[in-house]
Amino acid sequence: MLEHLTVVTHPLVQHKLTLMRDKDASTNSFRRLLREISQLLAYEITREMEMTTRRIQTPLCEMDAPVIDGKKLALISILRAGNGLLDGVLELIPAARVGFVGLYRDEATLQPVQYYYKVPAGLEDRLVIALDPMLATGNSSAAAVDLLKKSGARNIRFMCLLAAPEGVARMKEAHPDVPIVTAAVDERLNEHGYIVPGLGDAGDRMFGTK
Ligand code: URA
């Protein structure tokens, strides 16, 4: 079983994350680094997938060779920044089904409001990996996982690049059954809900919208 929180401390991940944090990293390199890290995080988050064997014939003999068991994964991008993780994970797991959850924060109530929701059928039989680079307050992540559970998902994991302690605590309280895999847990959130030291607005940095 994955722990509730796994921080991937591998030197490749940490080095690439440092390059991404640098405010002078270009949009192009930010996006490329995010794609590369997403594949290293995917390696960790899929570590305990169920396996079976398939009888195959090598050039020398027959063997029962290991293959992934069960239905395909479902990757769920939490819009819009989740798409930055999605691209890389899909390169590694091209047969995965893909869903999207769109939530925005109502500035009056500060609560997440759903504006888009489209997920693959049969979530109850799939390993579902929710993708959002920044686990900040945890409110939208917890709301996204609520929606996935309402759609039947029972085996959910959450992949992010950076987490704040507040977001990790919120997810643990709301969804203790959902393991989180991240590259780092930073110090805190600031008064605007940004992760500090962080890397700024992940969506703006990957899409060049600021
Ligand atoms: N979302 C971001 O893009 N960055 C943060 O620091 C927090 C939330």
Side-chain angles (χ1 to χ4, degrees), residues 2-177:
L2 278 174
E3 301 288 317
H4 184 253
L5 177 68
T6 302
V7 180
V8 181
T9 56
H10 192 287
L12 281 173
V13 171
Q14 295 304 313
H15 182 86
K16 289 174 192 293
L17 175 58
T18 296
L19 299 179
M20 293 182 77
R21 288 182 190 272
D22 188 329
K23 68 177 179 46
D24 294 325
S26 68
T27 302
N28 182 12
S29 59
F30 188 92
R31 209 182 285 150
R32 178 179 45 78
L33 289 160
L34 184 58
R35 190 177 68 242
E36 291 168 1
I37 293 186
S38 74
Q39 297 186 339
L40 299 166
L41 297 178
Y43 177 82
E44 267 317 307
I45 210 166
T46 55
R47 185 178 278 287
E48 290 163 10
M49 285 175 77
E50 283 176 31
M51 303 293 292
T52 184
T53 57
R54 181 189 295 161
R55 192 82 185 154
I56 59 161
Q57 177 84 48
T58 77
L60 299 183
C61 65
E62 284 199 352
M63 73 174 286
D64 292 316
V67 288
I68 292 168
D69 194 12
K71 285 208 180 181
K72 297 283 181 278
L73 267 84
L75 304 174
I76 310 294
S77 170
I78 301 175
L79 297 172
R80 71 182 159 151
N83 283 8
L85 292 172
L86 177 65
D87 292 346
V89 181
L90 262 182
E91 273 177 28
L92 207 61
I93 315 170
R97 302 295 172 91
V98 178
F100 296 92
V101 179
L103 298 166
Y104 71 86
R105 192 166 73 151
D106 183 307
E107 290 307 330
T109 64
L110 299 184
Q111 290 308 308
V113 181
Q114 177 188 331
Y115 66 88
Y116 189 77
Y117 188 72
K118 187 85 178 170
V119 297
L123 284 193
E124 51 280 0
D125 298 321
R126 300 180 188 279
L127 170 60
V128 175
I129 302 181
L131 309 165
D132 189 350
M134 309 299 273
L135 177 56
T137 62
N139 287 336
S140 59
S141 308
V145 172
D146 279 337
L147 291 170
L148 295 173
K149 286 184 174 174
K150 279 194 190 124
S151 296
R154 291 174 304 195
N155 185 8
I156 307 174
R157 298 177 193 178
F158 189 88
M159 180 195 291
C160 58
L161 176 68
L162 275 188
E166 294 89 335
V168 174
R170 173 84 181 90
M171 281 291 278
K172 186 162 192 176
E173 171 204 320
H175 300 294
D177 56 321

Side-chain angles (χ1 to χ4, degrees), residues 134 136 189 193-196 198-203:
M134 309 299 273
L189 288 180
Y194 278 88
I195 299 175
V196 180
L199 47 73
D201 187 300

